């Protein structure tokens, strides 16, 4: 059984009691979240988001450089006016370097991925500060409130980085 | 009051009853979800995912081209062996073209973004089929089960695309 089949069964239950079919396309709380793809982080539950509230952009590390296309669409076409960044403790991005993963892809898949910046980091807090700075300085991003957090996978808490 | 302040208050409640501090880094169900950032889609609730289950990669449209860095990390370093794609009805990506958003960014921000492919689409079902094909043909992606769905924001249901 694939996870897809399990997901179909779970979705049938969700849809059976679904009552939110009239929500508007633009996020009601006018915010875009940029968070890591990590399995332990449930952005909706951990941040108190309901369906319709917020754009949720997620990638390996929650890196903003890899979220720029989505942020521009979010702000220019769908009216979001705040950004929240969430990185987290015990992140996989702390465990490798571009050199390591490029070597692994070359060995496992026979492919050269020297053209991909995988965006790992060595310092968690600094990775949040770096991403805030990138957004603040990008000419493609509006001058909106940007707040960065470290989510603690051990405690469920977010800790503001400043 | 910023949304960030509201999120901090909501998170304090979440953390107060948090019991999942011992989850492993690799996703337990060995799956990566690639979904749209749309505010109306709560991937965890709609797909039956608990903390620790799945990587969740989200971007404007849920496009796999923009998720490749994360997918390679997910498969090569964190052991996921299945991919689920979720696009959805009433998607913002159906409402514009590269020409439109590039013009808007030039007008609003005075910036040339002709180098960014914003990945809009005109046919929802085809966008899912295209993304499945891209993954199936990419030499950077393992030969794993890939299933694509359209999430109906009107009903809460996912409909398999094949």
């Amino acid at each position: 059984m694939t996870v897809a089949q399990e997901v179909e069964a779970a979705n049938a239950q969700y849809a059976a009691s679904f009552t939110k079919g009239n929500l508007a396309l633009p996020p009601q709380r006018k915010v875009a979240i940029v968070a890591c793809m990590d399995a332990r982080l449930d952005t909706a539950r951990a941040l108190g988001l309901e369906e319709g509230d917020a754009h949720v952009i997620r990638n390996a590390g929650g890196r903003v450089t890899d979220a720029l296309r989505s942020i521009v669409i979010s702000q220019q076409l769908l009216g979001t006016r705040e950004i929240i960044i969430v990185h987290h403790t015990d992140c996989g991005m702390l465990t490798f370097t571009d050199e390591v993963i490029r070597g692994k892809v070359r060995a496992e898949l026979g492919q050269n991925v020297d053209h991909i910046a995988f965006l790992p980091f060595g310092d968690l807090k600094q990775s949040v500060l770096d991403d805030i700075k990138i957004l603040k300085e990008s000419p493609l991003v509006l001058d909106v409130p940007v707040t960065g957090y470290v989510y603690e996978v051990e405690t469920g808490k977010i800790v503001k980085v400043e």
Side-chain angles (χ1 to χ4, degrees), chain A residues 58-74:
Chain A
R58 300 183 64 175
N59 62 47
R63 304 314 306 264
V64 301
T65 316
D66 200 26
L68 269 183
R69 177 186 69 89
S70 297
I71 291 170
V72 170
I73 291 171
S74 179

Side-chain angles (χ1 to χ4, degrees), chain A residues 6 9 16 35 57 69-70 82 86 89 93 97 103 106 130 136 138 141-142 147 151-152 155 157-158:
Chain A
E6 298 167 358
I57 303 161
R69 177 186 69 89
S70 297
E82 182 172 345
V86 185
T89 55
M93 306 301 282
T97 62
R106 188 181 288 273
D130 286 349
K136 286 291 184 189
S138 171
V141 178
L142 295 171
T147 313
Y151 173 77
E152 298 178 343
T155 66
K157 290 182 188 165
I158 53 169

